[in-house]
Amino acid sequence: MIFKRVGASRPYPDHGLTAKDWAALPPRQLRLDELVTTKDTLQLGSLLDEDSTFYGDLFAHVVEWHGEYYLEDGLHRALRAALQQRLVLHARVHTLVSDPAAGTNA
C-alpha cells in the first residue's frame, strides 16, 4: 500500500490559498502512507515528464483536515517517490481548523 487511502475528491472546505500563499508555507517531510489522495486518476504524461515540476511548485500541496493529510496537488511527485522506493515526500502543509463557535473554517 502506497497511500493511507485513495480518495476521489476533497472532503474539506475550500481553503482559498493562492500559489503565493502555498509558497509561503515551509516544506516538510510526510510519510506516503499517511496521505489520502484527492484524485484517483493520473495523467501518465505528468508522471513520465521530466519537466513536470518546471512551471509549478517543487513541493506537493497537502491539506491537514480533521487529523488526516490530504494530497491536494502533487500526486505525480508522490508516485515518483514511491517508484524510487522512498517512504517520504516533501510537501507544503496547510492545516484547516474547524471553528465551532463561528461555524466556519480558518
Side-chain angles (χ1 to χ4, degrees):
M1 175 69 87
I2 296 172
F3 301 111
K4 180 174 184 177
R5 195 167 60 251
V6 175
S9 64
R10 300 175 184 175
Y12 49 87
D14 183 18
H15 49 66
L17 292 182
T18 65
K20 186 176 180 179
D21 296 332
W22 279 108
L25 297 173
R28 65 186 228 204
Q29 288 187 0
L30 289 174
R31 291 183 50 90
L32 292 174
D33 62 4
E34 294 177 324
L35 298 175
V36 177
T37 70
T38 59
K39 299 174 186 168
D40 60 1
T41 58
L42 172 76
Q43 294 293 325
L44 189 55
S46 296
L47 180 65
L48 300 176
D49 186 1
E50 291 182 21
D51 294 330
S52 65
T53 59
F54 184 75
Y55 295 104
D57 195 339
L58 293 176
F59 303 102
H61 295 174
V62 173
V63 174
E64 182 182 4
W65 170 247
H66 290 206
E68 301 265 41
Y69 292 102
Y70 293 95
L71 180 62
E72 179 173 292
D73 182 50
L75 180 58
H76 61 290
R77 290 176 186 84
L79 286 174
R80 269 196 203 151
L83 289 171
Q84 294 169 352
Q85 299 183 352
R86 290 186 279 143
L87 301 177
V88 296
L89 175 72
H90 287 85
R92 299 182 193 279
V93 179
H94 174 66
T95 303
L96 280 174
V97 180
S98 263
D99 182 0
T104 60
N105 303 299

